[in-house]
């Protein structure tokens, strides 16, 4: 998993708000001032001065450590929906500070880390754990740093815009063995193989045909048969699979999320089996992604943007032949039967075959 590092510098606005304790001291200071003015009591003036001194000290001790503060981030480029991901922050302060809280993440998924003390000239590391709530491509930040200081009467807050982005892959889950057995003909097809003439790729024997090289004649077999027989050669072909995702824009977005998780589960199973995979989807045009990471990156951001499945399969033509189709509806189109596709449909609509649940788990019916 690769990391992204970015740094935010010193210029951004610091906001200062009283805490509950600070609000209480402010009220006491105001009440003491009113009483001291009405009663002309030197003792009350002295008490009010003490309250004001505490407020000034609280405000300064909270805001001072955030001046000149810089933050750098190290975060993974990819994460998976529902699985915790770590974000490392490094804080460098020009002034000493205590009781600092750093918050980072992205919209809808943010986490906090407590920094007991920051010293000038020394980087302090903060580890934040965030659990992605949904798939997608998200901009990280801003980093929010809050300091109360040792007095605790004010909370100083500063937002530092540290650039960065993270791609959250859809959640995947193990595919049951029974379902894998049902999918085996579609997911592990050997495809077409190309013929060659390399000795290491020996395939079999066949009758001699005009134009065949005499160097490839298998003389021992020819003697037994009484006719010329030549060696046949073939290039090994890698197992491959085609996965088609239904992008029907008329279907609910929640159903697409479940279908995307089902596709991610299949991709994980295909990867573990060493099968090459192509993932197809039809929106405005045909989209094709080859390879596990490229397919998962696409699944992270795909939206319901296509025509009904029958129209999409018709536009794909031979590209969808023999594919595994994850449909948003149980109504299998006639075009799918023509292509010889295997369908996976929502559990609540399935009557037989393979189904997926709302969480995207693939099961055998």
């Amino acid at each position: 998993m690769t990391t992204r590092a970015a740094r935010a510098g010193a210029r951004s606005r610091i906001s200062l708000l009283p805490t509950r304790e600070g609000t209480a001291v402010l009220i006491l200071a105001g009440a003491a001032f009113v009483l001291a003015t009405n009663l002309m009591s030197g003792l009350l003036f002295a008490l009010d001065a003490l309250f004001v001194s505490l407020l000034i000290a609280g405000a300064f001790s909270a805001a001072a450590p955030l001046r000149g503060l810089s933050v750098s981030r190290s975060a993974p480029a990819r994460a998976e929906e529902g699985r915790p991901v770590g974000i490392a922050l490094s804080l460098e302060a020009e002034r000493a500070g205590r009781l600092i809280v750093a918050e980072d993440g992205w919209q809808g998924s943010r986490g906090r880390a407590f920094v007991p003390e920051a010293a000038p000239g020394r980087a302090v590391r903060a580890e934040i754990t965030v659990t992605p709530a949904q798939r997608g491509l998200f901009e990280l930040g801003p980093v929010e740093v809050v300091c109360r200081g040792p007095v605790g009467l004010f909370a100083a807050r500063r937002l530092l815009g540290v650039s960065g982005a993270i791609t959250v892959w859809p959640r995947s889950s193990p595919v049951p063995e029974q379902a894998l057995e049902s999918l085996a003909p579609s997911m592990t097809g050997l495809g077409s193989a190309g013929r060659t003439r390399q000795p290491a790729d020996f395939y079999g024997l066949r009758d001699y045909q005009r134009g065949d090289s005499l160097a490839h004649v298998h003389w021992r077999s020819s003697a037994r048969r009484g006719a010329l027989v030549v060696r046949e050669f073939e290039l090994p072909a890698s197992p491959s699979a085609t996965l088609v995702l239904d992008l029907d824009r008329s279907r609910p977005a929640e159903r697409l999320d479940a279908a995307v998780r089902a596709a991610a589960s299949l991709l994980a199973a295909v990867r573990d089996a060493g099968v090459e995979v192509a993932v197809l989807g039809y929106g405005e045009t045909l989209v094709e992604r080859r390879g596990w990471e490229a397919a998962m990156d696409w699944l992270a951001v795909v939206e319901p943007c296509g025509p009904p499945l029958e129209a999409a399969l018709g536009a794909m033509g031979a590209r969808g032949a023999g594919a595994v189709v994850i449909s948003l509806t149980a109504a299998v189109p006639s075009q799918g039967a023509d292509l010889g596709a295997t369908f996976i449909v929502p559990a609540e609509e399935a009557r037989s075959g393979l189904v997926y649940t709302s969480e995207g788990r693939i099961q055998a019916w």
Side-chain angles (χ1 to χ4, degrees):
M1 203 175 254
T2 58
T3 59
R4 296 170 179 256
R7 178 178 293 275
R11 292 191 176 183
S12 60
R13 186 175 180 180
I14 298 175
S15 60
L16 196 64
L17 292 174
T19 62
R20 287 184 298 177
E21 296 81 1
T23 302
V25 173
L26 277 170
I27 294 173
L28 289 174
F33 178 77
V34 172
L35 288 174
T37 302
N38 290 333
L39 300 176
M40 298 303 293
S41 169
L43 181 60
L44 288 176
F45 276 118
L47 180 61
D48 185 59
L50 175 61
F51 287 147
V52 173
S53 299
L54 284 173
L55 291 170
I56 293 173
F60 179 80
S61 64
L66 301 190
R67 298 182 183 277
L69 180 72
S70 62
V71 177
S72 62
R73 173 200 292 129
S74 178
R78 296 181 176 96
E80 184 174 336
E81 178 188 19
R83 292 191 177 181
V85 58
I87 299 175
L89 297 178
S90 180
L91 286 70
E92 295 184 20
E94 293 181 357
R95 301 180 183 181
R98 294 182 178 179
L99 307 178
I100 297 174
V101 175
E103 179 181 301
D104 196 15
W106 57 94
Q107 185 176 6
S109 299
R110 294 182 66 84
R112 295 179 178 180
F114 177 66
V115 180
E117 184 175 4
R122 181 171 61 89
V124 180
R125 189 177 176 87
E127 296 284 347
I128 295 176
T129 300
V130 180
T131 301
Q134 58 185 356
R135 64 184 177 91
L137 175 62
F138 301 97
E139 291 293 327
L140 289 167
V143 177
E144 179 180 323
V145 184
V146 177
C147 179
R148 291 192 173 196
V151 180
L153 298 182
F154 283 87
R157 177 175 176 265
R158 188 175 181 187
L159 294 177
L160 298 170
V162 189
S163 61
I166 186 169
T167 300
V168 178
W169 286 351
R171 181 172 62 248
S172 62
S173 56
V175 180
E177 288 295 330
Q178 186 179 354
L180 286 177
E181 290 176 3
S182 301
L183 288 168
S186 300
M187 303 302 286
T188 59
L190 296 178
S192 60
R195 298 296 169 86
T196 180
R197 288 294 183 267
Q198 300 301 320
D201 299 322
F202 176 73
Y203 174 68
L205 299 173
R206 63 172 175 80
D207 293 337
Y208 176 86
Q209 297 177 6
R210 178 176 293 185
D212 288 339
S213 173
L214 293 177
H216 298 138
V217 173
H218 195 277
W219 297 106
R220 184 176 300 176
S221 298
S222 298
R224 285 199 302 264
R225 291 189 56 184
L228 290 179
V229 176
V230 296
R231 298 180 182 90
E232 182 100 59
F233 302 86
E234 184 177 47
L235 283 172
S238 299
S240 62
T242 302
L243 184 64
V244 174
L245 182 63
D246 184 4
L247 300 180
D248 188 348
R249 65 173 66 91
S250 66
R251 299 291 170 179
E254 308 80 52
R255 178 155 294 179
L256 177 63
D257 285 338
V260 165
R261 295 187 188 114
S265 301
L266 271 181
L267 280 173
V270 166
R271 178 201 58 185
D272 294 342
V275 177
E276 295 181 359
V277 65
V279 179
L280 306 179
Y282 197 90
E284 299 298 330
T285 58
L286 178 65
V287 176
E288 180 178 355
R289 294 293 184 271
R290 289 189 174 274
W292 182 64
E293 286 192 353
M296 290 295 286
D297 286 345
W298 179 67
L299 289 177
V301 298
V302 68
E303 298 293 338
C305 58
L309 182 59
E310 185 166 12
L313 290 175
M316 290 182 189
R319 301 292 292 276
V324 175
V325 179
I326 300 184
S327 174
L328 304 184
T329 173
V332 178
S334 58
Q335 182 66 32
D338 295 340
L339 293 172
T342 301
F343 281 81
I344 300 177
V345 299
E348 61 270 22
E349 297 183 6
R351 295 295 178 267
S352 63
L354 295 167
V355 301
Y356 67 82
T357 67
S358 58
E359 291 79 23
R361 296 179 180 273
I362 300 172
Q363 300 174 345
W365 186 260

